[in-house]
Amino acid sequence: VNITQPQLARAVDESRGTIARIESKKYEPKFALIQKIYHYLHKKQNVPDKPLCEFGKKKIKSVKSNQTLDKAIDLIIKHKFECIPVIDNDVVKGKITTMKLATRKTSTSDSKIKVSEFMGESPPIIPCSTSGTLVKPFLESSSDCVILTQKGKLYGLVTLWDFLNQK
């Protein structure tokens, strides 16, 4: 996050010595101080504390499991996506990611490979009212995308790229 001990100390109204002792694990802060530090660091990272439905992609572009891999590749290239969900009859079955596509061995034509044979696990599905502060760390560590729902229906999609494009 690129912040000094004095900057953090001022931001959370503590002494620099307290921050230094926390860093060196010589002091265990109370929960209230942990919360202050957490909220300050998230603001420094520019993580939106607004619902995901306010900045996620509103329309989900997807492929069906019985389509061919070249259809997924065309969508990814055309729309510059990192992740394409695989959806059959409004049920999320899996996902195709640019990372997985980039590391595949191409022994047969993409027009012969079914999406169902290549797709990965389905992305997490969460309410679009979920705060961005909860989802960004998850996307950074373990997922390519998150599907959003609103009132039980598929609503949109969020990727880490959406966070990077926040103003």
Side-chain angles (χ1 to χ4, degrees):
V1 179
N2 198 21
I3 184 171
T4 65
Q5 288 178 353
Q7 287 172 321
L8 180 58
R10 279 191 302 277
V12 297
D13 199 30
E14 284 292 331
S15 70
R16 190 205 58 79
T18 298
I19 301 301
R21 286 192 303 279
I22 293 169
E23 272 189 9
S24 64
K25 297 182 178 153
K26 293 179 180 171
Y27 175 73
E28 194 168 316
K30 294 188 174 166
F31 183 70
L33 178 54
I34 293 170
Q35 277 187 309
K36 281 183 182 178
I37 292 170
Y38 173 83
H39 288 294
Y40 176 74
L41 292 176
H42 267 283
K43 284 181 185 174
K44 282 294 281 181
Q45 288 182 332
N46 198 23
V47 177
D49 193 23
K50 59 184 176 181
L52 294 171
C53 52
E54 290 185 23
F55 68 91
K57 293 174 183 68
K58 301 294 190 275
K59 185 169 167 120
I60 299 177
K61 303 274 187 199
S62 65
V63 291
K64 295 182 181 342
S65 62
N66 64 354
Q67 290 180 303
T68 57
L69 194 54
D70 58 348
K71 172 70 173 169
I73 292 169
D74 288 346
L75 275 174
I76 285 173
I77 292 169
K78 180 179 178 183
H79 299 286
K80 299 178 179 143
F81 290 150
E82 302 165 46
C83 175
I84 296 281
V86 179
I87 301 175
D88 292 334
N89 300 318
D90 290 330
V91 177
V92 181
K93 300 286 189 170
K95 67 182 174 187
I96 303 285
T97 65
T98 55
M99 183 61 73
K100 189 168 181 185
L101 284 170
T103 58
R104 79 188 186 287
K105 292 183 179 173
T106 54
S107 58
T108 58
S109 171
D110 291 335
S111 65
K112 293 182 180 172
I113 300 172
K114 294 284 184 201
V115 166
S116 60
E117 298 167 19
F118 187 81
M119 68 186 187
E121 290 294 319
S122 62
I125 301 171
I126 61 172
C128 76
S129 59
T130 304
S131 171
T133 57
L134 298 174
V135 176
K136 185 179 181 198
F138 176 75
L139 286 170
E140 289 173 327
S141 67
S142 62
S143 187
D144 306 289
C145 61
V146 173
I147 300 281
L148 305 176
T149 60
Q150 189 174 50
K151 297 182 181 177
K153 295 188 188 248
L154 297 178
Y155 176 82
L157 180 116
V158 172
T159 67
L160 189 56
W161 187 248
D162 295 313
F163 285 93
L164 299 174
N165 285 328
Q166 285 295 296
K167 293 178 172 91

